[in-house]
Amino acid sequence: MIRKLCSGSGLGLGSRSGGVRLSQRFLLLILLSALITVCFGAIFFLPDSVRLRRFFLLPTEPQRTDIAGSGLVPGPAAGSPHRQTEAHIGSVRRGQEDRFGKSSVTEQMLQEVTEGEQRLISASESGTEVNRAEVEASNSRYQPPLEARTEPVDQDVRSHREKVKEMMKFAWNNYKQYAWGTNELKPLSKNGHASGLFGGLLGATIVDSLDTLFIMGLQEEFREAKEWVENNLDFNVNGEVSVFEVTIRFVGGLLSAYYLTGDELFKMKSIELGEKLLPAFNTPTGIPWALINLRSGVGRNWGWASGGSSILAEFGTLHLEFMHLSEVSGNPKFAEKVMTIRKVLNRLEKPHGLYPNYLSPVTGHWGQHHVSIGGLGDSFYEYLIKAWLMSDKTDEEAKTMYYEALQAIETNLVRRSASGLTYIAEWRGGILDHKMGHLACFSGGMLAMGADDAPTDQSKHYMELAAEITITCHESYRRSATKLGPEAFRFDGGADAVATRMNDKYYILRPEVVETYMHMWRFTHDPRYREWGWEAVQALEQHCRVDAGFSGIRDVYSTLPHHDDVQQSFFLAETLKYLYMLFSEDELLSPEHWVFNTEAHPLPVIRRNTQEQVITNDQ
Ligand code: DMJ
């Protein structure tokens, strides 16, 4: 533009120069030089001069701005290519701040961002194409915020956190010594435990523990785990796996490890496994089978499930992981699968607004009308509110479904015991079963998490309900001899938050109660939640710690040792991670930036403009 303007004036001057006097010529010359000065001034001295300089002096080669997979926010597609580069650079920084919080951007991380940016600028200025891989590699070296590893200020809290870390080391070392490469440790038999959930898949404890090790700063242990994943984690197995369990533990564990470390190995592995799970969705409705043979791709449902149904808590708990699989792979097919599930559920008529736990993947009709916020239903509700949060509060459909479901649950299932304890009963075709499972205790944390965005005037109410549920779950622990809670506790026949049947009395190192303590602590800073968490640590130490690891117990009402001889992988993935977080500063994996999958694997919030990118790919 400037050249055109200047040369245009020059031509005009030349054509008329013969007919003008010397003084006029002189005047024109002065005018011309003034114009040139203004032109150059515009280029070099105006505030936006860098952009202008690029615009005029650089070739307009298109640049790829998305950095999907690095977990950072891609730059906007609109505008000139160089504007995209600018936007990208800005978004690298914003993404970095978004992921870890402004205050947590350390000098070292900033240095790394700057190196990445610098490379983009030089590539742009030299007119060469940006080496995307190189930039990604630079971006992916980000570490979680160092604040996450700073010691809590309070001495007691610090020592509690240290204790939890020591428990993790103990659980890990024993697994390593006696059960390395198998799914779980049998801490009394001192060998490996083969769970039926994973078919021939191996290493559940290793994959489930990756992020906990990393977060706790157990670097050597993390390195061993990573090495095993690299050399031994094999998905080409001829065995039937639970689609749900493999998704939440393996896919979730790998995705978290990727997002925390930026290590491509974990990303590739998660995508590879995601691909292997896809045949499970080949049903007439798109509601996946519960089980899939990873080699043959043949799926089926559990024999015990009503009318060949799939289970709500299983097919309804894939959303977060599959959305992230699309995010890291850039391939929308994973997201499409879970959006189909959403569509089917949305279309269905719900009895009293409730979601039964059984749904046929063939007919698309509900099976038995059993409704529960505990086993078989639990994490479906959890994933609705988390889908809303993980989508940067854009998934309005999930939000609506969550609050509508919650309202139906409150009306039909939430009750108060004679002594005033609030509980969430189960519903069998309209008849209430006045029991609450340990699994249902996650709901205290879920209610707190969803309170902020609740429809009109409900926020305070949901926080109160969350606190009441937490008290009830704590009571189920407090009323036992071991101070650990039973698998299910009742509120009928004179029972009040205690198990009355022998096969409800066991505790298998489950996390839900301490998970809720952790969330409640973070939302309220009421010290009792840390106190209750510490009670749980002491009880675990006293009743579950054995020579070679931690074991579940068969009767929480008896202090005589009766161990079940299994160190569940979720003890390392969830129970110990949530306890560690309970005694950490709030900055560690803050809810503003991270959402936990149902196995406590942190996944980052997908920022709005990143989602646009995925939608673009979809079209
Ligand atoms: C975990 O695998 C997950 O939390 C799941 O949602 C429910 N069961 C266990 C822990 O109890």
Side-chain angles (χ1 to χ4, degrees):
M1 193 172 82
I2 293 173
R3 250 186 60 202
K4 208 171 155 199
L5 203 104
C6 296
S7 59
S9 304
L11 276 172
L13 177 73
S15 62
R16 278 182 261 133
S17 59
V20 287
R21 287 206 305 272
L22 197 64
S23 61
Q24 285 174 314
R25 259 197 232 172
F26 186 61
L27 198 66
L28 276 170
L29 212 65
I30 290 175
L31 274 173
L32 185 63
S33 51
L35 190 64
I36 289 168
T37 311
V38 169
C39 290
F40 277 92
I43 297 171
F44 291 104
F45 302 114
L46 286 180
D48 217 5
S49 64
V50 176
R51 275 185 202 167
L52 281 167
R53 215 162 41 217
R54 289 221 186 110
F55 189 87
F56 292 115
L57 304 178
L58 291 171
T60 54
E61 198 173 310
Q63 315 241 337
R64 179 85 197 259
T65 60
D66 78 297
I67 42 170
S70 66
L72 300 175
V73 186
S80 82
H82 298 295
R83 269 189 185 278
Q84 285 185 33
T85 307
E86 285 284 325
H88 171 68
I89 293 165
S91 74
V92 169
R93 182 165 282 145
R94 269 199 312 282
Q96 185 68 354
E97 287 168 354
D98 283 343
R99 277 178 94 192
F100 304 127
K102 232 186 191 104
S103 62
S104 64
V105 178
T106 64
E107 282 306 312
Q108 189 202 344
M109 285 157 58
L110 269 178
Q111 178 64 32
E112 286 173 358
V113 179
T114 314
E115 279 167 18
E117 290 177 4
Q118 200 46 56
R119 222 163 308 155
L120 272 168
I121 296 168
S122 1
S124 167
E125 284 182 343
S126 65
T128 58
E129 216 183 337
V130 173
N131 181 342
R132 183 164 173 257
E134 212 183 319
V135 172
E136 275 192 6
S138 158
N139 289 335
S140 66
R141 282 201 307 273
Y142 300 151
Q143 298 295 303
L146 292 183
E147 281 88 325
R149 295 195 186 134
T150 55
E151 296 291 306
V153 184
D154 185 288
Q155 168 91 50
D156 283 348
V157 177
R158 214 162 47 221
S159 72
H160 292 173
R161 190 166 94 143
E162 264 316 297
K163 177 70 216 169
V164 177
K165 187 169 168 180
E166 183 279 327
M167 291 163 80
M168 179 70 189
K169 264 197 201 165
F170 182 69
W172 176 261
N173 285 338
N174 280 293
Y175 166 77
K176 188 176 138 193
Q177 185 169 354
Y178 299 112
W180 187 244
T182 67
N183 281 323
E184 287 164 324
L185 165 70
K186 284 166 82 77
L188 292 146
S189 318
K190 300 189 178 170
N191 56 37
H193 173 242
S195 155
L197 301 170
F198 308 118
L201 218 52
L202 290 171
T205 293
I206 299 177
V207 181
D208 235 2
S209 298
L210 281 165
D211 52 10
T212 310
L213 295 171
F214 188 80
I215 290 160
M216 291 183 179
L218 294 169
Q219 287 163 19
E220 182 51 27
E221 290 81 353
F222 178 82
R223 200 195 48 72
E224 293 159 359
K226 185 197 149 180
E227 208 173 285
W228 187 90
V229 169
E230 195 160 19
N231 301 323
N232 303 286
L233 183 57
D234 178 17
F235 305 132
N236 192 26
V237 292
N238 188 15
E240 270 183 335
V241 302
S242 154
V243 175
F244 159 73
E245 295 290 355
V246 166
T247 298
I248 65 167
R249 301 192 201 205
F250 283 80
V251 177
L254 292 165
L255 282 170
S256 276
Y258 169 63
Y259 280 118
L260 288 169
T261 64
D263 193 319
E264 294 282 309
L265 164 74
F266 301 121
K267 175 170 111 178
M268 301 322 288
K269 285 281 181 189
S270 69
I271 299 170
E272 189 189 338
L273 181 54
E275 298 270 356
K276 287 266 179 196
L277 295 172
L278 287 177
F281 295 82
N282 296 337
T283 65
T285 57
I287 296 291
W289 300 115
L291 299 159
I292 187 87
N293 182 305
L294 286 186
R295 187 170 295 165
S296 67
V298 174
R300 69 174 177 98
N301 272 344
W302 300 108
W304 51 262
S306 148
S309 291
S310 300
I311 307 295
L312 182 68
E314 297 197 329
F315 66 78
T317 310
L318 308 172
H319 195 94
L320 306 186
E321 295 83 355
F322 277 65
M323 292 306 281
H324 265 293
L325 282 176
S326 278
E327 190 59 28
V328 296
S329 65
N331 191 330
K333 67 183 171 187
F334 300 102
E336 278 162 14
K337 300 293 178 207
V338 285
M339 289 317 287
T340 301
I341 298 176
R342 172 80 69 74
K343 228 179 274 161
V344 172
L345 285 173
N346 230 341
R347 268 204 306 261
L348 278 166
E349 183 93 12
K350 285 123 206 139
H352 298 269
L354 297 166
Y355 288 81
N357 292 337
Y358 300 99
L359 180 66
S360 164
V362 178
T363 65
H365 294 144
W366 298 118
Q368 207 183 93
H369 282 194
H370 173 216
V371 178
S372 163
I373 201 160
L376 307 182
D378 50 3
S379 39
F380 159 67
Y381 305 98
E382 175 186 351
Y383 269 33
L384 287 179
I385 189 63
K386 288 184 174 174
W388 161 248
L389 298 171
M390 197 183 83
S391 69
D392 205 6
K393 303 194 175 180
T394 59
D395 188 348
E396 294 285 342
E397 188 177 52
K399 181 187 180 191
T400 307
M401 286 170 79
Y402 172 74
Y403 290 111
E404 283 177 1
L406 199 54
Q407 203 180 343
I409 285 168
E410 213 184 334
T411 311
N412 296 288
L413 270 55
V414 174
R415 294 291 179 267
R416 231 157 236 112
S417 75
S419 75
L421 292 179
T422 303
Y423 62 96
I424 309 181
E426 302 199 356
W427 194 86
R428 294 174 194 277
I431 296 173
L432 279 189
D433 187 1
H434 296 272
K435 79 162 192 201
M436 195 167 161
H438 192 289
L439 289 167
C441 286
F442 86 96
S443 61
M446 177 185 75
L447 284 160
M449 208 175 293
D452 248 9
D453 299 320
T456 43
D457 300 338
Q458 293 288 296
S459 300
K460 189 161 168 274
H461 168 67
Y462 284 137
M463 271 317 287
E464 282 164 2
L465 189 56
E468 287 170 21
I469 296 292
T470 314
I471 290 174
T472 302
C473 291
H474 174 247
E475 282 303 306
S476 79
Y477 273 50
R478 204 181 65 81
R479 293 175 188 197
S480 79
T482 55
K483 306 298 167 214
L484 292 164
E487 179 67 3
F489 40 97
R490 304 198 66 86
F491 299 90
D492 53 6
D496 198 41
V498 289
T500 51
R501 302 172 186 174
M502 195 52 216
N503 54 5
D504 282 342
K505 293 184 179 173
Y506 63 88
Y507 170 70
I508 56 168
L509 306 173
R510 286 197 191 279
E512 292 77 17
V513 175
V514 296
E515 170 182 355
T516 277
Y517 293 163
M518 191 282 290
H519 289 300
M520 291 304 289
W521 160 254
R522 288 217 167 164
F523 284 112
T524 65
H525 283 176
D526 182 334
R528 70 181 161 171
Y529 299 118
R530 275 186 165 169
E531 282 159 26
W532 295 350
W534 184 240
E535 284 170 13
V537 168
Q538 289 171 300
L540 283 164
E541 281 286 283
Q542 198 179 338
H543 301 289
C544 299
R545 189 170 178 138
V546 293
D547 259 7
F550 287 88
S551 164
I553 54 176
R554 296 190 195 277
D555 183 358
V556 295
Y557 301 103
S558 164
T559 49
L560 295 174
H562 202 177
H563 295 109
D564 69 7
D565 198 16
V566 183
Q567 179 175 282
Q568 305 277 348
S569 78
F570 54 66
F571 180 65
L572 295 89
E574 296 191 74
T575 313
L576 293 177
K577 187 188 287 131
Y578 283 133
L579 282 167
Y580 185 80
M581 288 178 66
L582 177 65
F583 299 117
S584 294
E585 300 295 302
D586 290 357
E587 286 72 27
L588 174 58
L589 300 166
S590 82
E592 213 182 316
H593 306 291
W594 298 92
V595 166
F596 290 87
N597 88 338
T598 195
E599 189 76 2
H601 296 305
L603 299 171
V605 170
I606 302 173
R607 298 292 165 200
R608 289 163 200 259
N609 41 357
T610 314
Q611 291 167 40
E612 281 156 22
Q613 187 74 39
V614 172
I615 291 163
T616 310
N617 291 344
D618 201 7
Q619 285 161 351

